[in-house]
Amino acid sequence: MIVVTQKEASREIISEALNLLNQRGLEARAVAWKNQTLLVTHRNPASADMDQLKKTGIIERLVHPTLKAQLASREFQTETSVVKVRNASIGAGKLVIIAGPCSVEGREQLLGVARVAKQVGASMLRGGVFKPRTSPYEFQGLGEAGLRFLAEAREETGLPVITEVLEPEKVDLVSKYADMLQIGARNMQNFSLLKAVGKSKTPILLKRGMMATIDEWLQAAEYILLEGNPDVVLCERGIRTFEKATRNTLDLTAVPVLRKQTHLPILVDPSHATGSRDLVAPMAKAAVTAGADGLMIEIHPSPETALSDPHQQLDLKEFASLMEELEPVARAVGRQLR
Amino acid sequence: MIVVTQKEASREIISEALNLLNQRGLEARAVAWKNQTLLVTHRNPASADMDQLKKTGIIERLVHPTLKAQLASREFQTETSVVKVRNASIGAGKLVIIAGPCSVEGREQLLGVARVAKQVGASMLRGGVFKPRTSPYEFQGLGEAGLRFLAEAREETGLPVITEVLEPEKVDLVSKYADMLQIGARNMQNFSLLKAVGKSKTPILLKRGMMATIDEWLQAAEYILLEGNPDVVLCERGIRTFEKATRNTLDLTAVPVLRKQTHLPILVDPSHATGSRDLVAPMAKAAVTAGADGLMIEIHPSPETALSDPHQQLDLKEFASLMEELEPVARAVGRQLR
Amino acid sequence: MIVVTQKEASREIISEALNLLNQRGLEARAVAWKNQTLLVTHRNPASADMDQLKKTGIIERLVHPTLKAQLASREFQTETSVVKVRNASIGAGKLVIIAGPCSVEGREQLLGVARVAKQVGASMLRGGVFKPRTSPYEFQGLGEAGLRFLAEAREETGLPVITEVLEPEKVDLVSKYADMLQIGARNMQNFSLLKAVGKSKTPILLKRGMMATIDEWLQAAEYILLEGNPDVVLCERGIRTFEKATRNTLDLTAVPVLRKQTHLPILVDPSHATGSRDLVAPMAKAAVTAGADGLMIEIHPSPETALSDPHQQLDLKEFASLMEELEPVARAVGRQLR
Amino acid sequence: MIVVTQKEASREIISEALNLLNQRGLEARAVAWKNQTLLVTHRNPASADMDQLKKTGIIERLVHPTLKAQLASREFQTETSVVKVRNASIGAGKLVIIAGPCSVEGREQLLGVARVAKQVGASMLRGGVFKPRTSPYEFQGLGEAGLRFLAEAREETGLPVITEVLEPEKVDLVSKYADMLQIGARNMQNFSLLKAVGKSKTPILLKRGMMATIDEWLQAAEYILLEGNPDVVLCERGIRTFEKATRNTLDLTAVPVLRKQTHLPILVDPSHATGSRDLVAPMAKAAVTAGADGLMIEIHPSPETALSDPHQQLDLKEFASLMEELEPVARAVGRQLR
């Protein structure tokens, strides 16, 4: 149950109402949500409890979501959220294309990519600086130096930047440079990290775990929302299946499934999902048709020499072509691209 | 290796060449392919053997496909096959929409569906009469009576009809009524059945097994092709994964993967893949954008009363709307719908 | 619902009762079950219908299984079935070890294997003669010649023989030679084949499909049982997952899960499950500990030269060692091996 | 490549050798390994580089593992590691049974469990105090209070204790109380956490991620080993598949697969793998037969009231029975239990 309290309700009276609920064993918590306070519990109050609660006079609205991820549910918020990342707005109708290299490898590489991305119509710049790699022997990213390059690329191009954060104690550092924090697939159920980014004010891109159900994914988002950060965007990036012709199996149907269940905006990452450069364009277009609010695409000035994911990054010309091809597809489903 | 023999080569000389290859242990077989004969072997002949073979003078072209499914490979045939099913052509550029009920339940039901399908622009009519059901207690289909209804619906609407065949000894019977035979997901590796339909002259729709890799699927198609039936169309219908929010996981990326590897046309069945009526439209559109040559969609006059798959069949109005929405999507990727 | 009719009930009265049920729309069928007749329906009769039925006086026992696979359920039969295959008894307490080559490759190969199998304590001989192969270019088996070798091996060693049947029209032929028919993983939902072997009097080994849930597997068994063949044995042989270190993922937990749900005996095939010779022995032993009624193990005089599955077949010495090691394991869980 | 340096080699000369390797672009690192130093690189040095290295005179042994997880490989260490956790030794031949509640729920609950565990022959006590839960609304554990109960239970029973750690900054705190740290399935690829526990001196139990291949799992272990903590134990706990009859699919074959590839000891957790109380005993026994070095089993004084995982915890009597049944099974495969 979510109790949306009235904006004018005083701290004291809200705190009293919270105590009331908790004395009845409802394990409620107060969540600062935009300019209001929510009281949230996963238990069903008895009608006597509800009567008491109503008497406090703080209730603006009561919601009883059936979805376990209550704050993420459309039952709580019917219209799709718009997540603002500086000058970009995810979920607002216009497609948001996030482009950039898998890893930030150096200043020149990143600036070169950023300029092209800007020029052909991307809305945001991505680039990994803390890289979660299967093997400890693989390139682990440039760290803080990479963050500075991202900030510089933003200065020059005006593109908001997003990068992955791997541990709670790095959330502040990364937030200083980045406009959006990515939680990667492997960390989708790193609950300490989810709580940490939930406490920040920076928007979050939450990638789907490669073996996570849609239900678990929404509950992972709920960890962030419950800490008071409403700016969560979901990103489908393929799940692990028996099929090995592609790196992962892109579960595009997740887009319309999520659309019904949640108000959170939904992106698709065809680069990680397919793992193969020549599959990115068709699946990017299909993702838009399936209803995604945008795409995250890996691009690199010379993919074959990339320090990570060399097979799946588009070169800059391929990306420019893809943007051309996306235009009519976006229009066909009533979306704007640039 | 595939030896394409010259059209004018005599039976005798081809038979001699075949013997020659087999004396060398190459386990070759002769395949009647359109108006030519192919000699096909999966072994690498020694150069001395090749010299002998060349001396026969029958070679028009030699192909050494790297794909295990040699006849299905683009290395053997570079242009996409066009499979003609009466007045419908699958793979020719114009999208082919196959619509109809999961099961033929009666004459009126089928005729009603067929008329609407025709009217809103479908190219073919589907309807199951021999139903492979998980439980022996479930509705098993109308059998031959259903075949007669299909034929009647074709007479009236002009739509070619497709239905599933479950066993080798029914291939002749079903071919008498149907214009295209469907091999269902559960029978994708029913090799006796594949050989039997390979011997028929009727075009075949080969659905992907729910746990089949793309590689295995193409090898299943090869079973049919090797018997001399070149008219095989592939149909992606979702694979089985851990995710239970949808009936299966639609592997749309299989479409561009297949496109590179094979010349066989590719359809997508969003009804079985998603198992849910309201997911059919977005995934149908996404399938077209991903490059499919057409769609197979289950429709029913009153889905909730259907004897099988009640949750995934569109009603006739929903199907008409989908056809409207597909139009601009098809155009956006350079395809024609109606 | 299963109506067990009294042994002395006449055909006429049973037929009347069946009609009665069907007039009420219960879609019941009569099943000849050992020396009795069952009336089976998946619908719930109204109490008025039950009253009518009781008046016929034919009811010996009424069962209302909750499992969809009613005849396979322990609710219908509480004690584990014992399936007799000539002198072997599967499910009777003593472990049944079925050994033999993946494919029958010739007379000498088979007889050599059979003698060793017999000598070290195997209870049955296996050998494939109709082989379902992923590729049409792979060895497809010796066919009827192989059946004759199997019969000869039985004559000499006294071991009952089992081999796979691939299509309904071969059931009679294979039954003429073999003592037990195997339905392979790929055919677990080949319902025509299931019905055909259900009509035969030969015991059936039903392998689990690589994509099949336990629930679907039991319903496949139900197809056979419903035709009146009570002699069905289940065989776990690994399922398909994302893990590629082994050929399949052996789902040993299926053994105790099945034990609770069904009275059918359960074997395990560690050869196909693991796909690797050195994994067969540990998993064979684990299978016995998990409660299997026996094992099916592939053995070959010189595995590296085998025409199919060269990596997973034990050589004869390895098999003899395994039998030695199995002895104390069997004893530890209260089973007898030889 | 792993360079095992001589025990008497000075810090200076090792540091020189490291520089030498890195000047050649080998990205080597020095690892303090027991009482020696290793120089580890994933690159292949040129023979000139090797000549230089040999001249330093520090090489005791050179290893060129083919496994990506070099330090975890049997090529580096041929005998199975023995990981000492106070008075318990994992990998030494005697089975190690770790028992305890899913979550520490209170002092009395834990002490009660600990006494019985000790009495019936368990070697270690488990209990979660920081709980990674799918939903933020579920019980998250007692935190540090729970750690104190664990320490008290150890004082009283002498059983070493293990508990899960969820974030790098809690490693020191948890190590103060616990004798072994568990990395849970969801954190198997939380590389920050792996590095953090790699820097501690406490032994680590690394559970397999539910989506992890054996190969990825070993590389996760390598993250810990490379930081100089050699005391890593692997724990199979089931993988995620399409089958829903069990909570996960226990991949028991992983035990012999790992045995060949790695020297790290291997435990099995049948509680999480099966998710069902009555499946724990058969799979515990099967795990021992498959070659596991021990088991981790969830037990609870009254499972049905447990705050987490109520369905899979054994009650204390069931656990005592299981220990009885394990005895002959352990003996049958040459293992000692108590």
Side-chain angles (χ1 to χ4, degrees):
Chain A
M1 179 182 72
I2 303 172
V3 183
V4 183
T5 66
Q6 295 184 333
K7 286 190 195 67
E8 51 274 20
S10 70
R11 283 200 167 204
E12 288 69 30
I13 198 161
I14 288 175
S15 171
E16 232 170 72
L18 182 65
N19 286 340
L20 169 71
L21 290 173
N22 284 335
Q23 281 156 17
R24 310 297 170 112
L26 292 175
E27 300 180 25
R29 66 191 87 187
V31 178
W33 187 261
K34 297 167 187 180
N35 52 357
Q36 279 176 289
T37 300
L38 311 175
L39 301 181
V40 187
T41 173
H42 62 296
R43 301 205 182 273
N44 290 320
S47 69
D49 304 340
M50 287 308 297
D51 290 346
Q52 285 279 353
L53 185 66
K54 281 172 187 161
K55 278 194 198 139
T56 63
I58 61 162
I59 304 181
E60 183 186 297
R61 191 163 60 99
L62 269 180
V63 199
H64 297 276
T66 53
L67 201 72
K68 281 186 220 155
Q70 300 186 73
L71 295 176
S73 75
R74 275 216 185 268
E75 298 159 293
F76 168 54
Q77 182 184 311
T78 50
E79 72 282 12
T80 297
S81 285
V82 175
V83 173
K84 291 205 167 235
V85 186
R86 289 201 172 221
N87 52 339
S89 294
I90 310 179
K94 183 167 168 288
L95 293 173
V96 169
I97 312 297
I98 306 176
C102 177
S103 299
V104 175
E105 297 171 8
R107 187 173 172 276
E108 292 317 312
Q109 174 236 26
L110 187 68
L111 286 176
V113 165
R115 284 171 202 136
V116 172
K118 170 69 180 182
Q119 186 191 322
V120 304
S123 322
M124 288 180 62
L125 179 68
R126 65 151 282 150
V129 303
F130 298 106
K131 299 297 299 174
R133 304 303 300 276
T134 300
S135 163
Y137 299 109
E138 291 168 324
F139 176 59
Q140 307 272 317
L142 292 184
E144 194 167 352
L147 290 174
R148 282 189 294 266
F149 298 148
L150 282 170
E152 190 180 343
R154 176 183 55 214
E155 291 318 295
E156 191 185 317
T157 60
L159 294 176
V161 300
I162 174 171
T163 196
E164 183 168 355
V165 60
L166 296 179
E167 38 188 329
E169 60 267 51
K170 289 276 168 55
V171 170
D172 285 349
L173 172 71
V174 179
S175 296
K176 250 175 51 189
Y177 294 95
D179 304 301
M180 187 174 210
L181 305 180
Q182 176 177 315
I183 302 295
R186 288 176 183 79
N187 280 316
M188 193 203 83
Q189 291 192 318
N190 181 338
F191 301 118
S192 309
L193 184 58
L194 297 178
K195 288 176 189 171
V197 300
K199 292 191 176 84
S200 89
K201 304 259 176 258
T202 315
I204 307 302
L205 185 78
L206 180 64
K207 288 200 147 187
R208 181 181 187 177
M210 72 177 90
M211 212 83 182
T213 63
I214 289 172
D215 194 48
E216 290 167 344
W217 187 12
L218 287 171
Q219 292 185 69
E222 190 81 355
Y223 266 95
I224 304 173
L225 301 171
L226 256 186
E227 300 292 333
N229 186 343
D231 293 325
V232 176
V233 174
L234 303 170
C235 183
E236 159 67 27
R237 44 76 73 208
I239 55 174
R240 183 165 272 189
T241 71
F242 65 87
E243 174 60 78
K244 299 300 173 202
T246 46
R247 184 173 178 180
N248 293 285
T249 296
L250 178 60
D251 180 14
L252 259 195
T253 317
V255 176
V257 169
L258 285 167
R259 196 60 90 199
K260 281 192 296 181
Q261 298 186 1
T262 184
H263 56 84
L264 301 177
I266 308 152
L267 300 188
V268 170
D269 171 352
S271 305
H272 281 89
T274 64
S276 183
R277 194 174 316 155
D278 51 359
L279 300 172
V280 170
M283 300 324 290
K285 289 185 276 181
V288 168
T289 319
D293 295 304
L295 301 167
M296 174 177 261
I297 293 174
E298 288 191 350
I299 63 176
H300 193 282
S302 57
E304 58 291 341
T305 69
L307 295 180
S308 55
D309 291 348
H311 304 300
Q312 75 194 30
Q313 304 195 54
L314 299 187
D315 67 29
L316 305 182
K317 221 170 123 184
E318 288 167 330
F319 178 59
S321 302
L322 170 56
M323 291 296 284
E324 289 306 314
E325 293 171 32
L326 276 174
E327 193 90 56
V329 171
R331 242 190 340 259
V333 291
R335 294 277 199 167
Q336 209 189 322
L337 177 66
R338 292 185 275 207
Chain B
M1 180 181 73
I2 303 172
V3 183
V4 183
T5 66
Q6 297 184 329
K7 288 189 196 68
E8 52 274 20
S10 69
R11 283 201 168 203
E12 289 69 29
I13 199 160
I14 288 174
S15 172
E16 233 169 74
L18 183 65
N19 286 340
L20 170 70
L21 290 174
N22 284 335
Q23 280 155 17
R24 310 297 170 112
L26 292 175
E27 299 180 25
R29 67 190 88 186
V31 178
W33 187 261
K34 299 168 184 178
N35 53 357
Q36 280 176 289
T37 300
L38 311 175
L39 301 182
V40 187
T41 172
H42 62 297
R43 300 205 181 274
N44 289 319
S47 69
D49 303 341
M50 288 307 297
D51 290 346
Q52 285 279 351
L53 185 66
K54 280 171 188 163
K55 277 193 200 143
T56 63
I58 61 162
I59 306 181
E60 181 184 299
R61 191 162 60 99
L62 269 179
V63 198
H64 296 276
T66 54
L67 202 72
K68 281 185 220 154
Q70 300 186 72
L71 295 175
S73 74
R74 275 218 185 267
E75 298 159 292
F76 168 55
Q77 183 184 311
T78 50
E79 71 282 13
T80 297
S81 286
V82 175
V83 173
K84 292 206 166 234
V85 186
R86 287 198 172 226
N87 53 339
S89 294
I90 310 178
K94 182 166 170 288
L95 293 173
V96 169
I97 311 298
I98 306 175
C102 176
S103 298
V104 175
E105 298 171 7
R107 188 174 170 278
E108 292 316 312
Q109 172 234 29
L110 187 68
L111 286 175
V113 165
R115 284 172 201 135
V116 172
K118 169 71 180 181
Q119 186 191 323
V120 303
S123 323
M124 288 179 61
L125 178 68
R126 65 151 282 151
V129 303
F130 298 106
K131 299 297 298 174
R133 304 302 300 274
T134 300
S135 164
Y137 300 109
E138 291 168 324
F139 176 58
Q140 308 273 317
L142 293 185
E144 193 168 353
L147 289 175
R148 282 191 293 265
F149 299 148
L150 282 169
E152 188 179 345
R154 176 185 53 215
E155 291 317 297
E156 190 184 319
T157 62
L159 294 176
V161 300
I162 175 172
T163 196
E164 183 168 355
V165 60
L166 296 179
E167 38 187 328
E169 60 266 50
K170 289 274 168 57
V171 170
D172 283 348
L173 172 70
V174 179
S175 297
K176 251 177 49 192
Y177 295 95
D179 305 300
M180 189 174 209
L181 304 180
Q182 175 177 316
I183 303 295
R186 289 176 181 77
N187 280 318
M188 193 203 83
Q189 290 194 319
N190 182 338
F191 301 117
S192 309
L193 184 58
L194 297 179
K195 287 177 190 170
V197 299
K199 291 192 178 84
S200 91
K201 304 259 177 256
T202 315
I204 307 302
L205 186 78
L206 179 64
K207 288 201 149 189
R208 181 180 187 178
M210 72 177 89
M211 210 81 180
T213 62
I214 290 173
D215 194 49
E216 290 167 345
W217 188 10
L218 287 172
Q219 292 184 67
E222 190 81 355
Y223 265 96
I224 304 173
L225 300 171
L226 257 186
E227 300 293 334
N229 186 342
D231 293 325
V232 176
V233 174
L234 303 170
C235 182
E236 160 68 28
R237 44 74 75 207
I239 56 174
R240 182 165 273 190
T241 70
F242 65 87
E243 175 60 78
K244 299 299 173 203
T246 45
R247 183 173 179 181
N248 293 286
T249 296
L250 178 60
D251 181 15
L252 259 195
T253 317
V255 176
V257 169
L258 285 167
R259 196 58 92 199
K260 280 192 298 182
Q261 296 185 4
T262 184
H263 57 85
L264 301 176
I266 308 151
L267 300 187
V268 169
D269 170 352
S271 305
H272 281 89
T274 64
S276 183
R277 195 173 318 155
D278 51 0
L279 300 172
V280 170
M283 300 325 290
K285 290 185 275 182
V288 168
T289 318
D293 295 304
L295 302 166
M296 175 178 258
I297 293 174
E298 288 191 351
I299 63 177
H300 193 281
S302 57
E304 58 290 341
T305 69
L307 295 180
S308 55
D309 292 348
H311 304 299
Q312 75 195 31
Q313 304 195 55
L314 299 186
D315 68 27
L316 304 182
K317 218 169 127 184
E318 288 167 329
F319 178 59
S321 302
L322 170 56
M323 289 297 283
E324 288 307 313
E325 294 172 32
L326 275 174
E327 191 93 55
V329 171
R331 241 190 342 258
V333 292
R335 295 276 199 167
Q336 210 189 321
L337 178 65
R338 293 186 273 208
Chain C
M1 180 181 73
I2 303 172
V3 183
V4 183
T5 65
Q6 296 184 332
K7 287 190 195 68
E8 53 274 20
S10 70
R11 283 202 167 203
E12 290 67 30
I13 198 161
I14 288 175
S15 170
E16 231 171 73
L18 182 66
N19 286 340
L20 170 70
L21 290 173
N22 284 334
Q23 280 156 18
R24 309 298 169 112
L26 292 176
E27 300 180 25
R29 67 191 90 187
V31 178
W33 187 260
K34 297 166 188 180
N35 53 357
Q36 279 176 288
T37 299
L38 312 175
L39 301 181
V40 186
T41 172
H42 62 295
R43 302 204 181 272
N44 290 319
S47 68
D49 303 340
M50 287 308 297
D51 290 347
Q52 285 279 353
L53 185 65
K54 280 170 190 164
K55 278 192 200 143
T56 63
I58 60 161
I59 305 183
E60 180 186 298
R61 191 163 60 99
L62 268 180
V63 199
H64 296 277
T66 54
L67 202 72
K68 280 186 223 155
Q70 300 186 71
L71 295 176
S73 75
R74 274 216 185 270
E75 298 159 293
F76 168 55
Q77 182 184 311
T78 51
E79 71 283 11
T80 297
S81 285
V82 175
V83 173
K84 291 203 168 238
V85 186
R86 290 201 171 221
N87 53 339
S89 293
I90 310 179
K94 181 164 170 292
L95 293 173
V96 169
I97 311 297
I98 306 176
C102 177
S103 298
V104 175
E105 298 171 8
R107 189 174 170 275
E108 292 316 311
Q109 175 235 26
L110 187 68
L111 286 176
V113 165
R115 285 172 201 136
V116 173
K118 171 70 180 181
Q119 185 192 322
V120 303
S123 325
M124 287 180 61
L125 178 69
R126 64 152 282 151
V129 303
F130 298 106
K131 300 296 299 173
R133 305 303 300 276
T134 301
S135 163
Y137 299 110
E138 291 168 324
F139 176 58
Q140 309 271 317
L142 293 185
E144 194 167 353
L147 290 174
R148 283 190 294 264
F149 298 147
L150 282 169
E152 189 180 344
R154 177 183 55 215
E155 290 318 295
E156 191 185 316
T157 61
L159 294 176
V161 300
I162 174 172
T163 197
E164 182 167 356
V165 60
L166 296 179
E167 36 188 330
E169 60 266 50
K170 290 275 167 57
V171 170
D172 284 348
L173 172 70
V174 179
S175 297
K176 251 176 49 190
Y177 295 95
D179 304 301
M180 187 175 211
L181 304 180
Q182 175 177 315
I183 302 296
R186 287 176 183 79
N187 280 318
M188 194 203 83
Q189 291 194 319
N190 181 339
F191 302 117
S192 309
L193 184 58
L194 297 178
K195 288 176 188 169
V197 299
K199 292 192 178 85
S200 90
K201 304 258 176 257
T202 315
I204 307 302
L205 185 79
L206 179 64
K207 289 202 145 187
R208 180 180 188 178
M210 72 176 89
M211 78 301 157
T213 63
I214 290 172
D215 193 50
E216 290 166 345
W217 189 11
L218 287 171
Q219 293 184 68
E222 190 81 355
Y223 265 95
I224 304 174
L225 301 171
L226 257 185
E227 300 292 334
N229 186 342
D231 293 326
V232 177
V233 175
L234 303 170
C235 183
E236 159 67 29
R237 45 76 71 207
I239 56 174
R240 182 165 273 189
T241 71
F242 65 84
E243 175 60 77
K244 299 300 172 202
T246 46
R247 183 172 178 181
N248 293 285
T249 295
L250 177 60
D251 181 14
L252 259 195
T253 316
V255 176
V257 169
L258 285 167
R259 195 61 90 198
K260 280 192 298 181
Q261 297 185 3
T262 184
H263 57 83
L264 302 176
I266 309 151
L267 301 188
V268 170
D269 170 352
S271 305
H272 281 89
T274 65
S276 183
R277 195 172 317 155
D278 51 0
L279 299 172
V280 170
M283 300 325 291
K285 290 185 274 182
V288 168
T289 318
D293 294 305
L295 302 167
M296 174 177 260
I297 292 174
E298 288 191 350
I299 64 176
H300 193 281
S302 57
E304 58 289 342
T305 69
L307 294 180
S308 55
D309 291 349
H311 304 301
Q312 76 195 29
Q313 304 195 55
L314 299 187
D315 67 28
L316 305 181
K317 220 168 123 183
E318 288 167 329
F319 178 58
S321 302
L322 171 56
M323 291 296 284
E324 289 306 314
E325 295 173 30
L326 276 173
E327 191 91 57
V329 171
R331 245 191 338 261
V333 291
R335 293 278 197 166
Q336 208 189 323
L337 178 65
R338 290 186 275 205
Chain D
M1 181 181 71
I2 303 172
V3 183
V4 183
T5 66
Q6 297 185 330
K7 288 191 193 69
E8 52 275 19
S10 69
R11 283 203 166 200
E12 289 70 28
I13 199 161
I14 287 174
S15 171
E16 232 169 73
L18 182 65
N19 286 339
L20 171 70
L21 290 173
N22 284 335
Q23 279 155 19
R24 310 297 169 112
L26 293 175
E27 301 181 23
R29 66 189 89 187
V31 178
W33 187 261
K34 298 168 186 179
N35 53 358
Q36 279 176 287
T37 300
L38 310 176
L39 301 181
V40 187
T41 173
H42 63 295
R43 300 204 182 275
N44 289 319
S47 68
D49 302 341
M50 288 308 297
D51 289 346
Q52 285 279 351
L53 185 67
K54 279 170 189 165
K55 278 194 198 139
T56 63
I58 60 162
I59 305 181
E60 182 185 298
R61 192 163 59 99
L62 269 180
V63 199
H64 296 276
T66 54
L67 201 73
K68 280 186 220 156
Q70 301 187 70
L71 295 175
S73 75
R74 274 217 186 267
E75 298 159 293
F76 168 55
Q77 182 185 310
T78 50
E79 72 282 14
T80 296
S81 286
V82 175
V83 173
K84 291 203 167 238
V85 185
R86 289 198 171 225
N87 53 339
S89 292
I90 310 179
K94 182 165 170 289
L95 293 173
V96 169
I97 311 298
I98 305 176
C102 177
S103 297
V104 175
E105 297 171 8
R107 189 174 169 277
E108 292 318 310
Q109 172 236 27
L110 188 68
L111 286 176
V113 165
R115 284 172 201 136
V116 172
K118 170 70 181 180
Q119 186 192 321
V120 303
S123 323
M124 288 180 61
L125 178 68
R126 65 150 283 150
V129 302
F130 298 107
K131 299 297 299 174
R133 305 302 301 275
T134 299
S135 163
Y137 299 110
E138 292 168 324
F139 176 58
Q140 309 271 316
L142 293 184
E144 194 168 353
L147 289 175
R148 282 191 293 267
F149 299 148
L150 282 170
E152 190 180 343
R154 176 184 54 215
E155 291 317 298
E156 190 185 318
T157 61
L159 293 176
V161 300
I162 175 172
T163 196
E164 183 168 354
V165 59
L166 295 179
E167 38 186 329
E169 60 265 51
K170 289 275 167 56
V171 171
D172 284 349
L173 172 70
V174 179
S175 297
K176 251 176 51 191
Y177 296 94
D179 304 302
M180 190 175 207
L181 304 179
Q182 175 176 315
I183 303 295
R186 287 177 184 78
N187 280 317
M188 193 203 83
Q189 290 194 320
N190 181 338
F191 301 117
S192 309
L193 184 57
L194 297 179
K195 287 176 189 170
V197 300
K199 292 192 177 83
S200 90
K201 304 261 178 254
T202 314
I204 308 302
L205 185 79
L206 179 64
K207 289 201 148 188
R208 181 180 187 178
M210 73 177 87
M211 80 302 160
T213 63
I214 290 173
D215 193 48
E216 291 167 344
W217 189 11
L218 287 172
Q219 292 185 69
E222 190 81 355
Y223 265 96
I224 304 173
L225 300 171
L226 255 185
E227 300 292 333
N229 187 341
D231 293 327
V232 176
V233 175
L234 303 170
C235 183
E236 160 67 28
R237 43 76 74 209
I239 55 173
R240 182 164 274 189
T241 71
F242 65 85
E243 174 60 76
K244 299 300 173 204
T246 46
R247 183 172 178 182
N248 293 285
T249 296
L250 178 60
D251 181 14
L252 259 195
T253 316
V255 176
V257 169
L258 285 167
R259 196 59 92 199
K260 280 193 297 182
Q261 296 185 3
T262 184
H263 57 85
L264 301 176
I266 308 152
L267 301 187
V268 170
D269 170 352
S271 305
H272 281 88
T274 64
S276 183
R277 196 172 316 156
D278 51 359
L279 299 172
V280 170
M283 299 325 289
K285 290 185 274 183
V288 167
T289 318
D293 295 303
L295 301 166
M296 176 177 259
I297 292 173
E298 289 191 349
I299 63 177
H300 192 282
S302 57
E304 58 291 340
T305 69
L307 295 180
S308 54
D309 291 348
H311 304 300
Q312 75 196 28
Q313 305 195 56
L314 299 187
D315 67 28
L316 304 182
K317 220 168 124 184
E318 288 167 330
F319 178 58
S321 303
L322 170 56
M323 290 298 283
E324 288 307 314
E325 293 172 33
L326 275 173
E327 192 92 54
V329 171
R331 242 189 343 257
V333 291
R335 294 276 199 167
Q336 211 190 318
L337 178 64
R338 292 185 275 205

